[in-house]
């Protein structure tokens, strides 16, 4: 029986995997969807000190206390930062690290290091003006009401409304904290990059090309937007189940 640990991105929570979980479960998979500290149903735990290290620890401890092994560890978008740190901490528990249209950091990098300078400047300005200096209240200009419909490739109006009603500000240290690794890159578990072709993103395109060129990686392309667990859960479930050991 496969075990899946699904790590959501900034602004989201464990709730975002709601459509995917039963599909994996019906196929015999065990599924864990931790919510990172300060987000989703754990928004009451948000403080200026919460950051990337906190979120890595959230997932490490979830896996450790549940004694999970042979895990398919999946991270979407900024969740790629988190799963990279988790794989460095507990590689013996992981069968595959799956970057679902996600950032793949090197040691010492943060999310903002991988953003275009103008995007980082916009984030910094929003944190200062709207987030009391420590919260990033929304993903980027334009405001959410200007990107509906079509939120990250989610076109269904009901799905968009469901997502927007649940998004919360994210502690900015999730984006600015550098990732510190203890192990060599070639000492990590097998890695898979899933590129969602309907979401234009030069950075993710570059990461997909790098994965394709590396014997250490498997590249999979999906005909979906950036949030396939909402817009294409059937397609995503088949992709993930095929990765099970």
């Amino acid at each position: 029986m496969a075990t899946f640990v699904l790590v959501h991105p900034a602004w989201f929570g464990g709730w975002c995997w709601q459509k995917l979980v039963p599909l994996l479960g019906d196929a015999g998979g065990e599924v864990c969807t931790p919510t990172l500290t300060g987000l989703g149903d754990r928004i009451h735990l948000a403080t200026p000190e919460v950051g990337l290290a906190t979120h890595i620890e959230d997932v490490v401890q979830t896996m450790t206390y549940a004694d999970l092994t042979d895990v398919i560890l999946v991270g979407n978008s900024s969740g790629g930062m988190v799963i990279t740190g988790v794989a460095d901490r507990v590689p013996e528990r992981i069968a595959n690290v799956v970057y679902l249209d996600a950032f793949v950091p090197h040691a010492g990098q943060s999310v903002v290091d991988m953003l275009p300078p103008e995007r980082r400047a916009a984030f910094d300005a929003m944190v200062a003006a709207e987030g009391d200096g420590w919260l990033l209240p929304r993903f980027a200009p334009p405001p959410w009401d200007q990107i509906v419909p079509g939120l990250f490739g989610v076109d269904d109006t009901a799905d968009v409304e469901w997502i927007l009603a649940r998004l919360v500000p994210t502690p900015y240290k999730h984006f600015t904290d550098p990732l510190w690794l203890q192990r060599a890159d070639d000492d990590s578990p097998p890695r898979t990059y899933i590129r969602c072709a309907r979401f234009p993103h030069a950075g993710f395109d570059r990461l997909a090309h790098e994965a394709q060129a590396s014997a250490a990686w498997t590249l999979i392309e999906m005909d979906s937007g950036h949030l396939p667990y909402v817009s294409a859960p059937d397609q995503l479930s088949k992709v993930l189940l095929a990765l099970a050991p």
Side-chain angles (χ1 to χ4, degrees):
M1 182 174 66
T3 300
F4 299 91
V5 175
L6 311 177
V7 180
H8 64 83
W11 301 288
F12 286 68
W15 54 266
C16 71
W17 308 99
Q18 181 175 307
K19 289 186 177 183
L20 181 64
V21 169
L23 298 175
L24 297 176
D26 288 347
E30 179 181 354
V31 188
C32 182
T33 60
T35 293
L36 304 176
T37 298
L39 295 162
D41 57 299
R42 305 183 71 203
I43 188 174
H44 59 290
L45 300 176
T47 69
E49 289 72 38
V50 170
L52 180 60
T54 314
H55 294 158
I56 292 169
E57 192 71 16
D58 287 334
V59 181
V60 167
Q61 294 305 329
T62 295
M63 292 170 59
T64 300
Y65 276 85
D67 198 20
L68 302 181
T69 56
D70 292 326
V71 168
I72 308 296
L73 178 63
V74 182
N76 174 230
S77 202
S78 70
M81 303 292 297
V82 179
I83 64 173
T84 304
V86 173
D88 181 68
R89 290 276 303 278
V90 287
E92 69 281 359
R93 294 188 178 275
I94 300 169
N96 203 315
V97 188
V98 182
Y99 293 82
L100 177 60
D101 238 21
F103 292 103
V104 183
H106 296 295
Q109 280 190 312
S110 65
V111 173
V112 293
D113 290 334
M114 292 180 277
L115 297 178
E118 64 276 10
R119 187 73 174 272
R120 177 173 185 169
F123 278 6
D124 289 344
M126 283 190 288
V127 171
E130 305 173 38
D132 295 326
W134 65 277
L135 284 170
L136 185 56
R138 48 187 166 88
F139 1 92
W144 294 336
D145 60 1
Q146 293 182 27
I147 54 177
V148 177
L151 178 69
F152 285 123
V154 177
D155 297 317
D156 183 89
T157 300
D159 284 340
V160 170
E161 291 176 350
W162 178 74
I163 292 170
L164 294 180
R166 289 162 174 79
L167 297 176
V168 299
T170 299
Y172 199 34
K173 280 168 60 66
H174 174 87
F175 297 88
T176 60
D177 279 354
L179 176 70
W180 299 115
L181 302 176
Q182 301 175 2
R183 301 174 188 272
D185 187 58
D186 58 2
D187 192 32
S188 66
R191 289 165 289 181
T192 299
Y193 200 91
I194 300 176
R195 180 68 180 104
C196 299
R198 293 192 185 182
F199 180 62
H201 192 287
F204 295 157
D205 285 340
R206 176 183 56 79
L207 292 168
H209 291 317
E210 290 177 359
Q212 188 174 36
S214 173
W217 285 77
T218 298
L219 173 65
I220 298 172
E221 293 186 351
M222 284 187 60
D223 184 25
S224 76
H226 188 52
L227 311 177
Y229 42 88
V230 177
S231 62
D234 291 298
Q235 184 185 171
L236 179 58
S237 67
K238 292 173 183 175
V239 168
L240 294 180
L241 288 166
L243 296 174

